[in-house]
Amino acid sequence: MKAAIIRDYDTAIEIDDIAPPQLKEGSVLIAVHAASVNPIDYILQSGAMKDNVPLEFPHVMGYDVSGEIIEVGPGVTDFEVGDAVFARPNQEDAGAIAQVARLKTDEIALKPAKLSHEEAASVPLAGLTAWQALMSKAKLKSGDKVLIHAGSGGVGTLAIQIAKHFGAHVATTCSPRNADLVRELGADIVIDYHSQAFDEELSDYDIVFDLLGGETLNRSFKVLKKGGKLVSIKGQDTDDLASKHGVEFEWFLMEPDGAMLSDLAKLLEDGAVRPVIDRVYPMSETREAYEQLKDGHAVGKIVVTIDQT
């Protein structure tokens, strides 16, 4: 099969023929129609996490996938050949930018019928990250005041919509060029990070979802009311600012979860949440897709399509 691979850490992405994954018990093989790219892909590619998350080579790039089941393994009863599904696979099954991918059935969900494969592929990692941060970690409830940083990015665009759907008052930070977009997605307050200090403009918030880390994380504690919660995927509270401000802090890594993705799929099918896609590349231009991602200015997600011929 054709796949976008790296042959070692810190090497260039190649499109080459490799053996397809082998079917396992409790898993399915899918013909991949689309995948999307995420920062974790190139962080792992660089070798920065090789002590914690070692890669086997050749390593197939990509952690978001949408496609059609072509084979089911032993013990699989809830999915069948021909089902259109989407997922964020676990580390062992990672490898979305390829003609065939293997997925565990507890990590996949039926693709919403109204979404194209390109749209569906843009959702799993970012959508599950937003869902788990807001619903599982922060325990968001109707009426909560929520600040979501980087609202025009892949996670941010979905987080705004999820928070708004569940009744939150949403503030977000972004550049002026994306202000109209985040308002359309449901943001009640938009902070221009070029000209406004969010920690001077906002106060008494129940939840902050940090997607940036560093000084942004540290300043975010000031926004919370006593007993509020800051959830981050980018940094740690190394100075114990949570205790100083009387709030809670949690850093987490998203976990694949098919049941949770199915819940999100219902919102996508109903139109309560919609994907935002910046650009779509063919698999032959995977390297260019990651170059755009590293630039840091993509609005929503960057998607790669896979030709099955």
Side-chain angles (χ1 to χ4, degrees), residues 147-218:
L147 168 60
I148 297 165
H149 285 297
S152 63
V155 177
T157 52
L158 294 170
I160 290 170
Q161 296 176 81
I162 291 169
K164 198 64 183 176
H165 174 76
F166 286 103
H169 172 91
V170 180
T172 193
T173 57
C174 71
S175 66
R177 70 188 180 97
N178 297 320
D180 288 343
L181 169 66
V182 296
R183 287 192 183 95
E184 289 172 11
L185 297 177
D188 299 289
I189 297 176
V190 180
I191 302 294
D192 172 7
Y193 69 82
H194 291 299
S195 63
Q196 296 174 282
F198 69 87
D199 51 329
E200 296 177 4
E201 301 278 348
L202 307 175
S203 62
D204 201 35
Y205 271 62
D206 299 281
I207 299 166
V208 175
F209 183 20
D210 169 54
L211 300 162
L212 299 170
E215 191 59 27
T216 297
L217 187 157
N218 293 339

Side-chain angles (χ1 to χ4, degrees), residues 64-80:
D64 275 320
V65 66
S66 182
E68 184 176 313
I69 295 176
I70 54 174
E71 193 172 351
V72 298
V76 175
T77 59
D78 42 356
F79 295 94
E80 59 186 26

